[in-house]
Amino acid sequence: MAKEPFDLTKTRFWTILHQLIKWLMIIASVCSTGCMVYAVIKRYCFKGNFYGSDEIIMLFAFWLYFMGASYGSFENSHIKADLLNVYIKNMRVKDGITVFAQLCTVVVNTIVLAWATRFFVSEISKWGLSTSLKIPLIVPKSAIFFGFVLMEFYHVYYLQRDLRCFLRRGVFSEPRPGDYISQKTKTRYPALDIPTREEAGRGQKGERA
């Protein structure tokens, strides 16, 4: 019996990390929105002022933004220019382009993560404080570093998962209507239950008839 490949998504670590990001987003969203509502009510209803509200909102907004970005990486749902995938029906070619795009994403994210790391270390050494409430600026700005760490983690995981599947099975995505594989790919990966270009063409002719 073939040994099942290790699936990180089924581990407790993956679940806990997912829940942590989700709850950080919820808490940051509720707190930042609550601060803005409270500031408006106090100013226009009680003619008062919420001292340092902008600094508190900034703190939660940083974490909300970068945890939201990392959650998008977790869902693999960032906005993509998938025009090629609309016109390309050869699944081997389509998935190859997707893997290349994932590789480019990892490279770019790695570069930005290096910058974020230098920025994070610099902020720790300076230990700046906010003007009004004297909040350590490292608290909101550390969200940049941790956000890119999480994005890198998810991008690298999906890249290696899809690349391994691409090399082992030939394709990794689910076929859409009209998708096909070449006869060469079918010969190399006979277990694929995807029609060749000729078979897909005959099927479309049969439907029109």
Side-chain angles (χ1 to χ4, degrees):
M1 180 180 292
K3 186 179 179 181
E4 286 292 325
F6 176 72
D7 189 354
L8 184 63
T9 62
K10 295 180 180 179
T11 62
R12 190 171 182 81
F13 168 77
W14 185 275
T15 303
I16 292 175
L17 184 61
H18 172 218
Q19 292 298 323
L20 177 62
I21 295 172
K22 186 167 70 173
W23 278 105
L24 282 172
M25 289 171 54
I26 292 172
I27 292 170
S29 179
V30 170
C31 291
S32 58
T33 303
C35 287
M36 287 186 281
V37 171
Y38 178 70
V40 170
I41 292 175
K42 189 167 184 179
R43 173 171 293 183
Y44 293 102
C45 296
F46 299 99
K47 307 302 179 183
N49 188 32
F50 184 8
Y51 181 72
S53 60
D54 55 335
E55 296 178 2
I56 299 175
I57 293 171
M58 176 194 68
L59 189 157
F60 291 112
F62 264 82
W63 281 95
L64 175 61
Y65 182 86
F66 285 97
M67 289 303 101
S70 61
Y71 197 85
S73 297
F74 159 75
E75 292 186 327
N76 203 19
S77 60
H78 282 296
I79 297 174
K80 305 169 186 175
D82 282 344
L83 291 178
L84 287 177
N85 286 341
V86 174
Y87 294 104
I88 297 176
K89 297 301 182 180
N90 187 321
M91 290 195 63
R92 178 75 171 173
V93 174
K94 185 190 301 187
D95 286 355
I97 292 173
T98 301
V99 168
F100 178 73
Q102 289 176 319
L103 176 61
C104 292
T105 301
V106 169
V107 171
V108 172
N109 198 91
T110 302
I111 295 171
V112 179
L113 176 58
W115 293 340
T117 303
R118 292 174 60 184
F119 176 72
F120 180 63
V121 173
S122 174
E123 286 298 319
I124 291 177
S125 62
K126 290 189 295 186
W127 202 258
L129 302 175
S130 63
T131 306
S132 303
L133 301 179
K134 305 303 178 184
I135 299 172
L137 295 178
I138 190 62
V139 177
K141 292 182 178 180
S142 61
I144 301 173
F145 171 72
F146 290 111
F148 278 109
V149 167
L150 290 169
M151 283 185 270
E152 181 79 353
F153 168 73
Y154 287 121
H155 289 316
V156 169
Y157 172 76
Y158 289 130
L159 171 62
Q160 63 83 28
R161 183 199 65 181
D162 292 344
L163 180 59
R164 284 192 296 109
C165 189
F166 181 74
L167 296 175
R168 187 175 67 251
R169 294 185 58 249
V171 299
F172 60 84
S173 63
E174 291 296 322
R176 298 178 181 178
D179 284 352
Y180 61 85
I181 57 175
S182 66
Q183 186 60 52
K184 182 179 178 181
T185 303
K186 187 74 170 181
T187 303
R188 186 175 180 182
Y189 303 98
L192 283 177
D193 188 21
I194 302 172
T196 62
R197 184 172 187 175
E198 293 74 17
E199 293 170 344
R202 287 197 296 268
Q204 290 176 354
K205 290 179 181 178
E207 289 178 1
R208 286 195 294 267

